[in-house]
Amino acid sequence: MENNAKTELPEKIPTHIAIIMDGNGRWALSRGLPRLAGHRAGTENLRRVIEACIEFGIRYLTIYAFSTENWGRPEEEVQGLMQILEDVINRELQELHDQGVQLHHIGRLDRLSPALREKVLHAIEYTKNNDRLILNVAFNYGGRDEIVCAIQRIIRDGIPAEAVTDELVSGYLFTAGVPDPDLIIRTSGELRGSNFLIWQGAYCEWYFTPTYWPDFDREQLLLALQEFSHRERRYGRISPVEDNIAQHAR
Ligand code: IPE
Ligand code: IPE
Ligand code: MG
């Protein structure tokens, strides 16, 4: 599609979008820049995407910023990503608050430096009464780690086996109280889930685009929403149209 093409906002929009913000490194590499420059460009883009989500009336946005596996990257990159999180909070917190964004964190804060942990907790507390957009930041997040944590807490709470239900498990996850994502977007052309929302994403729709995250703009988000609006979510059943025909034939 042409860059200037105007894509309309569809009527049916997802309540909860989650994004695997991938491709920062390759974006930088293709410009002869260090990988961290790609991560910085990625955070600039995040601001634009948050604004677009607010404009489109999306209620929940979950972003994958740092996975439990990303600790395996070179020390310099890991430290750079920690610094970027700190800079983003310092620079953007007031603006996010003014826009009505409620910040949440999913994942574990225990491996972060005490100062960064405090900063994250302060940002959550500061924005807790906002309700225009709930922004879940997945930082040091892994879907398996989340399920392991949930099982540990269920056992510690002495929950009897018969009481362990789908709903109970959901309530023990980092995302307790948040509806499951309707749509997960992954940028950069990779076609995998990389340990993201593996429980919550059981019935989400997936949208993949080759665009690197720093270039994923408002128009691209609209295209993803357009595509989502045409998906039929059947949850294992058959299409309502077919079901109607089948009932009449009986
Ligand atoms: C995603 O971009 C951001 C993080 C994982 C922190 P990458 O850094 O994975 O970029 P590529 O995939 O190497 O291009
Ligand atoms: C997933 O991207 C994690 C984030 C975007 C934070 P990765 O680049 O780490 O995933 P893989 O290694 O390609 O699966
Ligand atoms: Mg990547």
Side-chain angles (χ1 to χ4, degrees):
M1 183 153 310
E2 291 294 316
N3 269 344
N4 301 332
K6 287 275 168 286
T7 309
E8 291 202 7
L9 182 65
E11 245 173 64
K12 188 182 99 180
I13 57 159
T15 303
H16 182 177
I17 295 183
I19 307 181
I20 302 179
M21 309 184 293
D22 197 16
N24 294 345
R26 280 163 285 168
W27 182 92
L29 203 71
S30 69
R31 285 166 173 74
L33 297 169
R35 290 179 59 84
L36 279 172
H39 294 312
R40 293 206 177 270
T43 60
E44 285 301 310
N45 189 48
L46 179 57
R47 185 190 317 144
R48 294 190 284 268
V49 169
I50 290 171
E51 274 166 21
C53 285
I54 293 172
E55 179 195 339
F56 300 156
I58 286 154
R59 297 307 312 280
Y60 297 86
L61 172 65
T62 300
I63 48 162
Y64 205 4
F66 190 90
S67 75
T68 46
E69 288 72 35
N70 288 150
W71 293 104
R73 295 190 177 197
E75 179 63 17
E76 192 193 335
E77 182 166 349
V78 170
Q79 284 319 315
L81 286 164
M82 298 293 146
Q83 187 60 51
I84 286 173
L85 176 63
E86 190 173 334
D87 293 349
V88 168
I89 297 174
N90 288 340
R91 211 178 47 229
E92 309 284 343
L93 180 60
Q94 191 56 45
E95 176 73 20
L96 289 168
H97 179 63
D98 293 344
Q99 288 173 321
V101 174
Q102 187 187 122
L103 279 166
H104 280 268
H105 166 258
I106 60 170
R108 288 206 215 196
L109 291 177
D110 53 4
R111 264 184 93 173
L112 274 53
S113 74
L116 183 52
R117 206 179 317 153
E118 277 311 307
K119 230 167 227 204
V120 174
L121 292 173
H122 165 71
I124 294 167
E125 177 64 23
Y126 192 65
T127 59
K128 69 176 182 201
N129 294 321
N130 296 333
D131 64 359
R132 207 150 166 221
L133 175 76
I134 313 295
L135 177 63
N136 298 307
V137 180
F139 197 93
N140 190 19
Y141 172 87
R144 288 192 174 189
D145 182 56
E146 178 178 43
I147 292 170
V148 168
C149 280
I151 294 170
Q152 288 175 342
R153 286 179 45 223
I154 288 169
I155 293 171
R156 271 195 216 112
D157 284 353
I159 309 281
E162 318 77 69
V164 178
T165 59
D166 202 315
E167 289 72 30
L168 182 115
V169 173
S170 294
Y172 271 87
L173 299 176
F174 298 135
T175 51
V178 174
D180 287 343
D182 302 292
L183 173 66
I184 299 185
I185 296 171
R186 184 171 188 148
T187 57
S188 93
E190 305 298 349
L191 306 178
R192 55 178 170 266
S194 302
N195 204 10
F196 188 45
L197 301 178
I198 52 181
W199 173 281
Q200 301 87 335
Y203 260 107
C204 72
E205 297 294 323
W206 284 87
Y207 179 84
F208 296 100
T209 167
T211 305
Y212 295 147
W213 170 247
D215 294 328
F216 185 85
D217 59 12
R218 180 183 179 280
E219 180 67 20
Q220 299 243 350
L221 179 60
L222 271 175
L223 288 175
L225 295 180
Q226 276 287 347
E227 159 111 20
F228 173 81
S229 74
H230 296 120
R231 303 268 180 96
E232 184 185 51
R233 303 178 80 184
R234 288 192 290 276
Y235 300 98
R237 303 193 182 97
I238 63 170
S239 145
V241 179
E242 273 187 87
D243 202 19
N244 249 336
I245 296 169
Q247 288 198 18
H248 280 98
R250 257 184 233 134

